[in-house]
Amino acid sequence: MKLQVKLALYNTLTKVAIILFTGLFILLSIEKISYNHIELRLQNDKREILRSLSSKEISGYLSTQKIYTDYNILKEEFISIKPVKYEPVLAPNGGFTTERREIDRNMQDYRVLSHRFNLKNHTYMLEVGVAIESVEELKSIIKKFTIVVLIIALVLTLLSDLVFTKFLLAPFYQIIDRKLIKVNDPMNFDYGKIKTTTQDFELLDDSISSLMKKISNLFILEKQFIANVSHELLTPISIISSRLENILLHEELSEGSENKMHASLKTLNRLKSIINSLLLISKVENNQYDKADMVMIAAIVMEIREELEDRIEEKQLKFTNNLKYIYTIQGNRPLMHTLLFNIINNSIKYNNPGGSITISDELKDGIYTIIIADTGAGMEKKQIESAFNRFEKLDTDEKESYGLGLAIVKSITTFHGIKIKINSVKGEGTSVMLIFNTPIQVQ
């Protein structure tokens, strides 16, 4: 899961928790506040009524020991004073209850304040009530409104979090993209700083640049070492080869000694071939070749076909050239020849006797692709992943394989900006695709 999504999810969950807590608190508070408001109102009404006991209307009822009742036209409020058993000394009283009362044949729920008082040696029960139906409706409206407001707030905060985290993490993803994902060669690393106001991202940017600088220096030293050692080894190898060849010219050598000399020369030639391959890789990676030639791919394939004619006939392979386009690339012709030669040579080397090699091409959306397919031994997934490593060899009896052919191919494709892809099934064959992303000239 991306960091941006995790941050947005965390912010959303925390805000959901806060909003739910706030909403619950508000909903619970509405009921309490509503009832507190009603109770304060009833307390005020009680005090007003107690001050009005001397009025003619109320005193007339009380003097005859009748029940005094009064309510407004909408039956939302009522007042009731009735005589009860006389108590000379009244304990502190007065409480609130919620009751269902019938007022003028109309049943409603009321919040009722009850209070006993003494007047002229009589005890009376005062009840003051307010209908709570309107309060409940108001509470329902407020609850719905609160829920809608909270949902809108949640959606807005989620969107704002996504936008903000995207803006906040934009430099981070730029650093990952430009300085890690798109880096194929430490020598061409982009040391330009990513614009950001976040110190953590600045530290990450500087750390990656510093690390890549160290890697680049080590890479340069490694290539220089390989080039220097390979170059220095060629001289003594040539001297030893010359001496062995001169010794072979003497007729007094025994057959056993002569065989040993030939074996030594073969080993030296093998070593010389390995060193030349390493030198080639080193020179390509050091950009010691120019790319000024206009290279026609189809022409190189035909040349290689003629060069490898004997090996193709030796294995009785069927070689099919299905190239439809005359594609030209600006690059280095000898290197492109080496590239295609190594791939086609592998198709012969690891093919089964009587098998086939098919070379085809396609042009799609301005991208030219050449496919070299064979019906040989094929490779497993792990072998494909390590196919371009130096000295990586397939499980084969091929004695001429040094494990450098595909390493050279990889260096040349990188040098020319060509993508290479291998598809293979063990025991069924291998196809190598070269995808040319450079500007094309097709006929």
Coordinates of all heavy atoms in Angstrom, one line a residue, residues 99-185:
E99 N -44.8 12.0 31.9 CA -46.0 11.3 32.0 C -46.9 11.5 30.7 O -46.7 12.5 30.1 CB -46.8 11.7 33.2 CG -46.0 11.5 34.5 CD -46.8 12.0 35.7 OE1 -48.0 12.3 35.5 OE2 -46.2 12.1 36.8
R100 N -47.7 10.6 30.5 CA -48.7 10.7 29.4 C -50.0 11.1 30.0 O -50.6 10.4 30.9 CB -48.9 9.4 28.6 CG -49.6 9.5 27.3 CD -49.5 8.3 26.5 NE -50.1 8.4 25.2 CZ -49.6 9.0 24.2 NH1 -48.5 9.6 24.3 NH2 -50.3 9.1 23.0
R101 N -50.5 12.3 29.7 CA -51.7 12.9 30.2 C -52.8 13.1 29.2 O -52.5 13.3 28.0 CB -51.4 14.2 30.9 CG -50.5 14.2 32.1 CD -51.2 13.6 33.3 NE -50.3 13.6 34.5 CZ -50.3 14.6 35.4 NH1 -51.1 15.7 35.2 NH2 -49.5 14.5 36.4
E102 N -54.0 13.0 29.6 CA -55.2 13.3 28.7 C -55.7 14.7 29.1 O -56.2 14.9 30.2 CB -56.3 12.3 28.9 CG -57.4 12.6 27.9 CD -58.5 11.5 28.0 OE1 -58.4 10.6 28.8 OE2 -59.5 11.7 27.3
I103 N -55.5 15.7 28.2 CA -56.0 17.0 28.4 C -57.1 17.3 27.4 O -56.8 17.4 26.2 CB -54.8 18.0 28.3 CG1 -53.7 17.7 29.2 CG2 -55.3 19.5 28.5 CD1 -54.0 17.7 30.7
D104 N -58.3 17.5 27.9 CA -59.4 17.8 27.0 C -59.5 16.7 25.9 O -59.5 17.1 24.7 CB -59.3 19.2 26.4 CG -60.6 19.7 25.8 OD1 -61.6 19.1 26.1 OD2 -60.5 20.6 25.0
R105 N -59.5 15.4 26.3 CA -59.5 14.3 25.4 C -58.4 14.2 24.4 O -58.5 13.6 23.3 CB -60.9 14.3 24.6 CG -62.1 14.2 25.5 CD -63.3 14.3 24.6 NE -64.5 14.2 25.4 CZ -65.8 14.2 25.0 NH1 -66.0 14.3 23.6 NH2 -66.8 14.1 25.8
N106 N -57.3 14.8 24.7 CA -56.1 14.8 23.9 C -55.0 14.2 24.7 O -54.5 14.8 25.7 CB -55.8 16.2 23.4 CG -54.7 16.2 22.4 OD1 -54.4 15.2 21.7 ND2 -54.0 17.3 22.3
M107 N -54.5 13.0 24.2 CA -53.4 12.4 24.9 C -52.0 12.8 24.4 O -51.8 12.8 23.2 CB -53.5 10.8 24.7 CG -54.7 10.2 25.4 SD -54.7 10.3 27.2 CE -53.3 9.3 27.6
Q108 N -51.2 13.3 25.3 CA -49.8 13.7 24.9 C -48.9 13.4 26.1 O -49.3 13.1 27.2 CB -49.8 15.3 24.7 CG -50.5 15.7 23.5 CD -50.2 17.2 23.2 OE1 -49.0 17.4 22.8 NE2 -51.1 18.1 23.3
D109 N -47.6 13.4 25.7 CA -46.5 13.2 26.7 C -46.1 14.5 27.2 O -45.9 15.5 26.4 CB -45.3 12.4 26.1 CG -45.7 11.0 25.7 OD1 -46.4 10.4 26.5 OD2 -45.2 10.5 24.7
Y110 N -46.0 14.6 28.5 CA -45.7 15.9 29.1 C -44.5 15.7 30.1 O -44.3 14.6 30.7 CB -46.8 16.5 30.0 CG -48.0 16.9 29.1 CD1 -49.0 16.1 28.7 CD2 -48.1 18.3 28.7 CE1 -50.1 16.5 28.0 CE2 -49.2 18.7 28.0 CZ -50.1 17.8 27.6 OH -51.2 18.2 26.8
R111 N -43.7 16.8 30.2 CA -42.7 16.9 31.2 C -43.4 17.6 32.4 O -43.8 18.8 32.2 CB -41.5 17.6 30.7 CG -40.3 17.6 31.7 CD -39.7 16.2 31.8 NE -38.5 16.2 32.6 CZ -37.8 15.1 33.0 NH1 -38.4 13.9 32.7 NH2 -36.8 15.2 33.8
V112 N -43.5 17.0 33.5 CA -44.3 17.5 34.6 C -43.4 17.8 35.8 O -42.6 17.0 36.3 CB -45.4 16.5 35.0 CG1 -46.3 17.1 36.2 CG2 -46.3 16.2 33.8
L113 N -43.7 19.1 36.4 CA -43.0 19.5 37.6 C -44.1 19.4 38.7 O -45.1 20.1 38.6 CB -42.5 20.9 37.5 CG -42.0 21.5 38.9 CD1 -40.9 20.7 39.5 CD2 -41.6 23.0 38.6
S114 N -43.9 18.6 39.8 CA -44.8 18.5 40.9 C -44.2 19.2 42.1 O -43.1 19.0 42.4 CB -45.1 17.0 41.2 OG -45.6 16.3 40.0
H115 N -45.2 19.9 42.8 CA -44.7 20.7 44.0 C -45.9 20.8 45.0 O -47.0 21.2 44.6 CB -44.2 22.1 43.6 CG -43.8 22.9 44.8 ND1 -42.6 22.7 45.5 CD2 -44.4 24.0 45.4 CE1 -42.5 23.6 46.4 NE2 -43.6 24.4 46.4
R116 N -45.6 20.4 46.3 CA -46.6 20.5 47.3 C -46.4 21.8 48.1 O -45.2 22.1 48.4 CB -46.6 19.3 48.2 CG -47.2 18.0 47.6 CD -47.1 16.8 48.5 NE -45.7 16.6 48.8 CZ -45.3 15.9 49.9 NH1 -46.1 15.4 50.8 NH2 -44.0 15.7 50.1
F117 N -47.5 22.5 48.5 CA -47.3 23.7 49.3 C -48.5 23.8 50.2 O -49.6 23.2 50.0 CB -47.2 24.9 48.4 CG -48.4 25.2 47.6 CD1 -49.4 26.1 48.1 CD2 -48.6 24.6 46.4 CE1 -50.5 26.3 47.3 CE2 -49.7 24.9 45.6 CZ -50.7 25.7 46.1
N118 N -48.4 24.5 51.3 CA -49.4 24.8 52.3 C -50.0 26.2 52.2 O -49.2 27.2 52.0 CB -48.9 24.6 53.7 CG -48.7 23.1 54.1 OD1 -49.3 22.2 53.4 ND2 -47.8 22.8 55.0
L119 N -51.3 26.3 52.3 CA -51.9 27.6 52.2 C -53.2 27.5 53.0 O -54.1 26.7 52.8 CB -52.3 27.9 50.7 CG -52.9 29.3 50.5 CD1 -52.0 30.4 50.8 CD2 -53.4 29.4 49.0
K120 N -53.3 28.4 54.0 CA -54.4 28.5 54.9 C -54.8 27.2 55.5 O -56.0 26.7 55.3 CB -55.6 29.1 54.1 CG -55.4 30.5 53.7 CD -56.6 31.1 52.9 CE -56.3 32.5 52.4 NZ -57.5 33.1 51.7
N121 N -53.8 26.5 56.1 CA -54.0 25.2 56.7 C -54.5 24.1 55.8 O -55.2 23.2 56.2 CB -55.0 25.4 57.9 CG -54.4 26.3 59.0 OD1 -53.2 26.3 59.3 ND2 -55.3 27.1 59.6
H122 N -54.1 24.2 54.6 CA -54.4 23.2 53.6 C -53.2 22.9 52.8 O -52.4 23.8 52.6 CB -55.6 23.6 52.7 CG -56.9 23.6 53.3 ND1 -57.4 24.8 54.0 CD2 -57.9 22.7 53.5 CE1 -58.6 24.5 54.5 NE2 -58.9 23.2 54.2
T123 N -53.1 21.6 52.4 CA -52.0 21.2 51.5 C -52.5 21.0 50.1 O -53.5 20.4 49.9 CB -51.3 19.9 52.0 OG1 -50.8 20.2 53.4 CG2 -50.1 19.5 51.1
Y124 N -51.7 21.6 49.2 CA -52.1 21.5 47.8 C -50.9 20.9 46.9 O -49.8 21.1 47.3 CB -52.5 22.8 47.2 CG -53.6 23.5 47.9 CD1 -53.4 24.3 49.0 CD2 -54.9 23.2 47.4 CE1 -54.5 24.9 49.6 CE2 -56.0 23.8 48.1 CZ -55.8 24.7 49.2 OH -56.9 25.2 49.8
M125 N -51.3 20.2 45.9 CA -50.3 19.7 44.9 C -50.4 20.5 43.6 O -51.4 20.6 43.0 CB -50.6 18.2 44.6 CG -49.7 17.7 43.5 SD -48.0 17.6 43.9 CE -48.0 16.2 45.0
L126 N -49.3 21.2 43.3 CA -49.2 22.0 42.1 C -48.4 21.1 41.1 O -47.3 20.6 41.3 CB -48.4 23.3 42.4 CG -48.0 24.1 41.1 CD1 -49.2 24.6 40.4 CD2 -47.1 25.2 41.5
E127 N -49.0 21.0 39.9 CA -48.4 20.4 38.8 C -48.4 21.3 37.6 O -49.4 21.9 37.2 CB -49.2 19.1 38.4 CG -49.0 18.0 39.4 CD -49.8 16.7 39.0 OE1 -50.7 16.8 38.1 OE2 -49.4 15.6 39.4
V128 N -47.2 21.5 37.0 CA -47.0 22.3 35.8 C -46.4 21.4 34.8 O -45.3 20.8 35.0 CB -46.1 23.5 36.1 CG1 -46.0 24.4 34.9 CG2 -46.6 24.3 37.3
G129 N -47.0 21.4 33.6 CA -46.5 20.5 32.6 C -46.4 21.1 31.2 O -47.1 22.1 30.9
V130 N -45.4 20.6 30.4 CA -45.2 21.1 29.1 C -45.1 19.9 28.2 O -44.4 18.9 28.5 CB -43.9 21.9 29.0 CG1 -43.6 22.3 27.5 CG2 -43.9 23.2 29.8
A131 N -45.8 20.0 27.0 CA -45.8 18.9 26.1 C -44.4 18.7 25.5 O -43.8 19.7 25.1 CB -46.8 19.1 25.0
I132 N -43.9 17.5 25.4 CA -42.6 17.3 24.8 C -42.6 16.8 23.4 O -41.5 16.5 22.8 CB -41.8 16.3 25.7 CG1 -42.5 14.9 25.7 CG2 -41.6 16.8 27.1 CD1 -41.8 13.9 26.5
E133 N -43.8 16.7 22.7 CA -43.8 16.3 21.4 C -43.0 17.2 20.4 O -42.3 16.7 19.6 CB -45.3 16.2 20.9 CG -45.4 15.6 19.5 CD -46.9 15.5 19.1 OE1 -47.8 15.7 19.9 OE2 -47.1 15.2 17.9
S134 N -43.2 18.5 20.6 CA -42.5 19.4 19.8 C -41.0 19.4 20.0 O -40.2 19.5 19.1 CB -43.0 20.9 20.0 OG -42.9 21.2 21.4
V135 N -40.7 19.1 21.3 CA -39.2 19.0 21.6 C -38.6 17.8 20.9 O -37.5 17.8 20.4 CB -39.1 18.9 23.1 CG1 -37.6 18.7 23.5 CG2 -39.6 20.2 23.8
E136 N -39.4 16.6 20.9 CA -38.9 15.4 20.3 C -38.8 15.6 18.8 O -37.8 15.2 18.2 CB -39.9 14.3 20.5 CG -39.9 13.8 22.0 CD -38.6 13.3 22.5 OE1 -37.8 12.7 21.6 OE2 -38.2 13.4 23.6
E137 N -39.7 16.4 18.2 CA -39.6 16.7 16.7 C -38.3 17.5 16.5 O -37.6 17.3 15.5 CB -40.8 17.4 16.3 CG -42.1 16.5 16.2 CD -43.3 17.2 15.8 OE1 -43.2 18.5 15.6 OE2 -44.4 16.6 15.7
L138 N -38.1 18.5 17.3 CA -37.0 19.4 17.2 C -35.7 18.6 17.3 O -34.7 18.7 16.6 CB -37.0 20.5 18.2 CG -35.8 21.5 18.2 CD1 -35.8 22.2 16.8 CD2 -36.0 22.5 19.3
K139 N -35.7 17.7 18.3 CA -34.5 16.8 18.5 C -34.2 15.9 17.3 O -33.1 15.8 16.9 CB -34.7 15.9 19.7 CG -34.5 16.6 21.1 CD -35.0 15.8 22.2 CE -34.5 14.4 22.2 NZ -35.0 13.5 23.3
S140 N -35.3 15.4 16.7 CA -35.1 14.5 15.5 C -34.6 15.3 14.3 O -33.7 14.9 13.6 CB -36.5 14.0 15.1 OG -36.4 13.2 13.9
I141 N -35.1 16.6 14.2 CA -34.6 17.4 13.1 C -33.1 17.8 13.3 O -32.3 17.7 12.4 CB -35.4 18.7 13.0 CG1 -36.8 18.4 12.5 CG2 -34.7 19.7 12.1 CD1 -37.8 19.6 12.6
I142 N -32.8 18.1 14.6 CA -31.4 18.5 14.9 C -30.5 17.3 14.7 O -29.3 17.4 14.2 CB -31.3 19.0 16.4 CG1 -32.0 20.3 16.5 CG2 -29.8 19.2 16.8 CD1 -32.1 20.9 17.9
K143 N -30.9 16.1 15.1 CA -30.1 14.9 14.9 C -29.8 14.6 13.4 O -28.7 14.3 13.0 CB -30.8 13.7 15.5 CG -30.8 13.6 17.0 CD -31.6 12.4 17.5 CE -31.6 12.4 19.1 NZ -32.4 11.2 19.6
K144 N -30.9 14.7 12.6 CA -30.7 14.5 11.2 C -29.7 15.5 10.6 O -28.9 15.2 9.8 CB -32.0 14.5 10.4 CG -33.0 13.4 10.8 CD -34.3 13.5 10.1 CE -35.2 12.3 10.4 NZ -36.5 12.4 9.8
F145 N -29.9 16.8 11.0 CA -29.1 17.8 10.5 C -27.6 17.6 10.9 O -26.7 17.8 10.1 CB -29.6 19.2 11.0 CG -28.7 20.3 10.6 CD1 -28.8 20.8 9.3 CD2 -27.8 20.9 11.5 CE1 -28.0 21.9 8.9 CE2 -27.1 22.0 11.1 CZ -27.1 22.5 9.8
T146 N -27.5 17.2 12.2 CA -26.1 16.9 12.7 C -25.4 15.8 11.9 O -24.3 15.9 11.5 CB -26.2 16.5 14.2 OG1 -26.8 17.6 14.9 CG2 -24.8 16.3 14.7
I147 N -26.2 14.7 11.6 CA -25.6 13.6 10.9 C -25.2 14.0 9.5 O -24.1 13.6 9.0 CB -26.7 12.4 10.9 CG1 -26.9 11.8 12.3 CG2 -26.2 11.3 9.9 CD1 -28.0 10.8 12.3
V148 N -26.1 14.8 8.8 CA -25.8 15.2 7.5 C -24.5 16.1 7.5 O -23.6 16.0 6.7 CB -26.9 16.0 6.9 CG1 -26.5 16.7 5.6 CG2 -28.1 15.1 6.6
V149 N -24.4 17.0 8.5 CA -23.3 17.9 8.6 C -22.0 17.1 8.8 O -21.0 17.4 8.2 CB -23.5 18.9 9.7 CG1 -22.2 19.7 10.0 CG2 -24.6 19.9 9.3
L150 N -22.1 16.1 9.7 CA -20.9 15.3 10.0 C -20.5 14.5 8.8 O -19.3 14.3 8.5 CB -21.2 14.3 11.2 CG -21.5 15.0 12.5 CD1 -21.8 14.0 13.6 CD2 -20.2 15.8 13.0
I151 N -21.4 13.9 8.0 CA -21.1 13.2 6.8 C -20.4 14.1 5.8 O -19.4 13.7 5.2 CB -22.3 12.5 6.2 CG1 -22.8 11.4 7.1 CG2 -22.0 11.9 4.8 CD1 -24.1 10.8 6.7
I152 N -21.0 15.3 5.6 CA -20.3 16.2 4.7 C -18.9 16.6 5.1 O -18.0 16.7 4.3 CB -21.2 17.5 4.5 CG1 -22.5 17.1 3.8 CG2 -20.5 18.6 3.8 CD1 -23.5 18.2 3.8
A153 N -18.8 16.8 6.5 CA -17.5 17.2 7.0 C -16.5 16.0 6.8 O -15.3 16.3 6.4 CB -17.6 17.5 8.5
L154 N -17.0 14.8 7.0 CA -16.1 13.6 6.8 C -15.6 13.5 5.3 O -14.5 13.3 5.0 CB -16.8 12.4 7.2 CG -16.1 11.0 7.0 CD1 -14.8 11.0 7.8 CD2 -17.0 9.9 7.3
V155 N -16.6 13.7 4.4 CA -16.2 13.6 2.9 C -15.2 14.7 2.6 O -14.2 14.5 1.9 CB -17.5 13.7 2.1 CG1 -17.1 13.8 0.6 CG2 -18.3 12.5 2.3
L156 N -15.5 15.9 3.0 CA -14.6 17.1 2.7 C -13.2 16.9 3.3 O -12.2 17.2 2.7 CB -15.2 18.4 3.3 CG -16.5 18.9 2.5 CD1 -17.0 20.1 3.2 CD2 -16.2 19.2 1.1
T157 N -13.2 16.4 4.6 CA -11.8 16.1 5.2 C -11.1 15.0 4.5 O -9.9 15.1 4.3 CB -12.0 15.7 6.7 OG1 -12.9 14.6 6.8 CG2 -12.5 16.9 7.5
L158 N -11.8 14.0 4.0 CA -11.2 12.9 3.2 C -10.6 13.4 1.9 O -9.4 13.1 1.6 CB -12.2 11.8 3.0 CG -11.7 10.6 2.1 CD1 -10.5 10.0 2.7 CD2 -12.8 9.6 1.8
L159 N -11.4 14.2 1.2 CA -10.9 14.8 0.0 C -9.7 15.7 0.2 O -8.7 15.7 -0.5 CB -12.0 15.5 -0.8 CG -13.1 14.6 -1.3 CD1 -14.2 15.5 -1.9 CD2 -12.6 13.7 -2.3
S160 N -9.8 16.5 1.2 CA -8.7 17.5 1.5 C -7.5 16.7 1.9 O -6.4 17.1 1.6 CB -9.2 18.4 2.6 OG -9.4 17.7 3.9
D161 N -7.6 15.6 2.7 CA -6.5 14.8 3.1 C -5.8 14.2 1.9 O -4.6 14.2 1.8 CB -6.9 13.7 4.0 CG -7.2 14.2 5.4 OD1 -6.7 15.3 5.7 OD2 -7.8 13.5 6.2
L162 N -6.6 13.7 0.9 CA -6.0 13.1 -0.3 C -5.3 14.1 -1.1 O -4.2 13.8 -1.6 CB -7.1 12.4 -1.1 CG -7.7 11.1 -0.6 CD1 -8.9 10.7 -1.4 CD2 -6.7 10.0 -0.6
V163 N -5.9 15.3 -1.2 CA -5.2 16.3 -2.0 C -3.9 16.8 -1.3 O -2.9 17.0 -1.9 CB -6.2 17.5 -2.2 CG1 -5.4 18.7 -2.9 CG2 -7.3 17.1 -3.1
F164 N -4.0 17.0 0.0 CA -2.9 17.5 0.7 C -1.7 16.5 0.8 O -0.6 16.8 0.6 CB -3.3 17.8 2.2 CG -2.1 18.3 3.0 CD1 -1.6 19.6 2.8 CD2 -1.6 17.5 4.0 CE1 -0.5 20.0 3.6 CE2 -0.5 17.9 4.8 CZ 0.0 19.2 4.6
T165 N -2.1 15.2 1.0 CA -1.0 14.2 1.1 C -0.4 14.0 -0.3 O 0.8 13.7 -0.4 CB -1.6 12.8 1.5 OG1 -2.8 12.5 0.8 CG2 -2.0 12.9 3.0
K166 N -1.2 14.1 -1.4 CA -0.6 14.0 -2.7 C 0.3 15.2 -3.0 O 1.4 15.0 -3.5 CB -1.8 14.1 -3.8 CG -1.3 13.9 -5.2 CD -2.4 13.9 -6.2 CE -1.9 13.7 -7.6 NZ -3.1 13.6 -8.6
F167 N -0.1 16.4 -2.5 CA 0.8 17.5 -2.7 C 2.1 17.4 -1.8 O 3.2 17.7 -2.2 CB 0.1 18.8 -2.3 CG 0.9 20.0 -2.1 CD1 1.4 20.7 -3.2 CD2 1.3 20.5 -0.9 CE1 2.2 21.8 -3.1 CE2 2.1 21.6 -0.7 CZ 2.6 22.3 -1.8
L168 N 1.9 16.9 -0.6 CA 3.0 16.7 0.4 C 4.0 15.7 -0.1 O 5.2 15.9 0.0 CB 2.4 16.3 1.8 CG 3.4 16.1 2.9 CD1 4.1 17.4 3.2 CD2 2.7 15.5 4.1
L169 N 3.5 14.6 -0.7 CA 4.4 13.5 -1.0 C 4.9 13.6 -2.5 O 5.6 12.7 -2.9 CB 3.7 12.1 -0.8 CG 3.3 11.8 0.6 CD1 2.5 10.5 0.7 CD2 4.5 11.6 1.5
A170 N 4.4 14.6 -3.2 CA 4.9 14.7 -4.6 C 6.4 14.7 -4.8 O 6.9 14.0 -5.6 CB 4.3 16.0 -5.2
P171 N 7.1 15.5 -3.9 CA 8.6 15.5 -4.0 C 9.2 14.1 -3.7 O 10.2 13.7 -4.4 CB 9.1 16.5 -3.0 CG 7.9 17.4 -2.8 CD 6.7 16.5 -2.9
F172 N 8.5 13.3 -2.8 CA 9.0 12.0 -2.5 C 8.9 11.1 -3.7 O 9.9 10.4 -4.0 CB 8.2 11.5 -1.3 CG 8.5 10.0 -1.0 CD1 9.6 9.6 -0.3 CD2 7.6 9.0 -1.4 CE1 9.9 8.3 0.0 CE2 7.8 7.7 -1.1 CZ 9.0 7.3 -0.4
Y173 N 7.8 11.1 -4.4 CA 7.6 10.2 -5.5 C 8.5 10.7 -6.7 O 9.0 9.9 -7.5 CB 6.2 10.2 -6.0 CG 5.3 9.5 -5.0 CD1 4.2 10.1 -4.4 CD2 5.5 8.1 -4.8 CE1 3.4 9.4 -3.5 CE2 4.7 7.4 -3.9 CZ 3.7 8.1 -3.2 OH 2.9 7.4 -2.3
Q174 N 8.8 12.0 -6.8 CA 9.7 12.5 -7.8 C 11.1 11.9 -7.5 O 11.8 11.5 -8.5 CB 9.8 14.0 -7.8 CG 8.5 14.6 -8.4 CD 8.6 16.2 -8.4 OE1 9.7 16.7 -8.3 NE2 7.4 16.8 -8.5
I175 N 11.5 11.9 -6.3 CA 12.8 11.4 -5.9 C 12.9 9.9 -6.3 O 13.9 9.5 -6.8 CB 13.1 11.6 -4.4 CG1 13.2 13.1 -4.1 CG2 14.3 10.9 -3.9 CD1 13.3 13.4 -2.6
I176 N 11.9 9.2 -5.9 CA 11.9 7.7 -6.2 C 11.9 7.5 -7.7 O 12.7 6.6 -8.2 CB 10.6 7.1 -5.6 CG1 10.6 7.2 -4.1 CG2 10.5 5.6 -6.0 CD1 11.8 6.6 -3.4
D177 N 11.1 8.3 -8.5 CA 11.1 8.1 -9.9 C 12.3 8.5 -10.6 O 12.9 7.7 -11.4 CB 9.9 8.9 -10.5 CG 9.7 8.6 -11.9 OD1 9.5 7.5 -12.3 OD2 9.7 9.6 -12.7
R178 N 12.8 9.7 -10.3 CA 14.0 10.2 -11.1 C 15.3 9.6 -10.6 O 16.2 9.4 -11.4 CB 14.1 11.7 -10.9 CG 13.1 12.4 -11.8 CD 13.1 13.9 -11.6 NE 14.4 14.5 -11.6 CZ 14.7 15.7 -11.3 NH1 13.8 16.6 -11.0 NH2 16.0 16.2 -11.3
K179 N 15.4 9.3 -9.3 CA 16.7 8.9 -8.8 C 16.8 7.4 -8.4 O 17.9 7.0 -8.0 CB 17.0 9.8 -7.5 CG 17.0 11.3 -7.9 CD 17.8 12.1 -6.9 CE 18.0 13.5 -7.4 NZ 18.9 14.3 -6.6
L180 N 15.8 6.7 -8.6 CA 15.9 5.2 -8.3 C 15.3 4.4 -9.5 O 16.0 3.6 -10.1 CB 15.1 4.9 -7.0 CG 15.8 5.4 -5.7 CD1 14.9 5.0 -4.5 CD2 17.2 4.8 -5.6
I181 N 14.0 4.6 -9.8 CA 13.4 3.8 -10.9 C 14.0 4.0 -12.2 O 14.3 3.1 -13.0 CB 11.9 4.1 -10.9 CG1 11.2 3.7 -9.6 CG2 11.2 3.4 -12.1 CD1 9.7 4.1 -9.5
K182 N 14.3 5.3 -12.6 CA 14.8 5.6 -14.0 C 16.3 5.5 -14.1 O 16.8 5.9 -15.1 CB 14.2 7.0 -14.4 CG 12.7 7.0 -14.6 CD 12.3 8.3 -15.2 CE 10.8 8.4 -15.5 NZ 10.4 9.7 -15.9
V183 N 17.0 5.1 -13.1 CA 18.4 5.1 -13.1 C 18.9 3.7 -13.6 O 18.7 2.7 -12.9 CB 19.0 5.4 -11.7 CG1 20.5 5.2 -11.8 CG2 18.7 6.8 -11.3
N184 N 19.4 3.6 -14.8 CA 19.9 2.4 -15.3 C 21.4 2.3 -15.3 O 22.0 1.3 -15.3 CB 19.4 2.2 -16.8 CG 17.9 2.0 -16.9 OD1 17.3 1.3 -16.0 ND2 17.3 2.6 -17.9
D185 N 22.0 3.5 -15.3 CA 23.5 3.6 -15.3 C 23.9 4.6 -14.3 O 23.5 5.8 -14.4 CB 23.9 4.0 -16.7 CG 25.4 4.0 -16.8 OD1 26.1 3.7 -15.9 OD2 25.9 4.4 -17.9

